[in-house]
Amino acid sequence: QVRLVESGGGLVQAGGSLRLSCAASGRTFTSYPMGWFRQAPGKEREFVAAISRSGRNTYYADSGKGRFTISRDNAKNTVYLQMNSLKPEDTAVYYCAASVSVTIATHGREYEYWGQGTQVTVSS
């Protein structure tokens, strides 16, 4: 069992930056690859980024490549999503999740534990 709590969302102008955090508790944090997903009103949840258990490997959706950076600090049981050059289309509720896979995954079905989300709003 893993509990995930996101923070760091807010309102930012286009071109600005935000750093999201996901604090984990419960089972050993290093046992889980982690991912970030987002869901905008009227749209389905979409994959944003994923990171391996060690943090050595990362994977990004095309939407965030070159702008977003996922990282983790296993000593702090925390995963981060640094978002730069934000666009209005990035507006969504952002969720972190812990995967049941032994490696990183891009499908929501592969994630067992989810946070409750943090709102990111990018004004035009």
Side-chain angles (χ1 to χ4, degrees):
Q1 187 71 29
V2 173
R3 176 177 171 81
L4 305 173
V5 180
E6 302 95 336
S7 63
L11 175 64
V12 64
Q13 292 185 350
S17 299
L18 285 173
R19 188 191 193 194
L20 307 183
S21 298
C22 176
S25 62
R27 292 185 179 178
T28 304
F29 181 65
T30 55
S31 296
Y32 298 94
M34 298 291 296
W36 285 96
F37 292 77
R38 68 187 184 186
Q39 186 168 22
K43 296 184 178 180
E44 294 189 350
R45 179 185 61 199
E46 65 175 341
F47 170 77
V48 176
I51 189 167
S52 64
R53 290 174 292 175
S54 67
R56 293 191 297 268
N57 299 306
T58 58
Y59 192 86
Y60 299 91
D62 289 341
S63 60
K65 286 182 178 178
R67 301 186 299 122
F68 294 178
T69 302
I70 187 171
S71 62
R72 68 192 298 163
D73 186 339
N74 288 339
K76 296 182 178 180
N77 295 325
T78 303
V79 63
Y80 305 95
L81 183 68
Q82 177 68 44
M83 303 186 294
N84 299 324
S85 302
L86 284 163
K87 306 173 182 179
E89 50 263 45
D90 295 319
T91 296
V93 176
Y94 283 71
Y95 301 90
C96 68
S99 177
V100 298
S101 175
V102 297
T103 187
I104 58 176
T106 61
H107 301 290
R109 62 181 293 179
E110 298 179 88
Y111 289 82
E112 178 71 16
Y113 306 104
W114 295 80
Q116 294 187 350
T118 184
Q119 176 70 49
V120 171
T121 303
V122 184
S123 62
S124 61

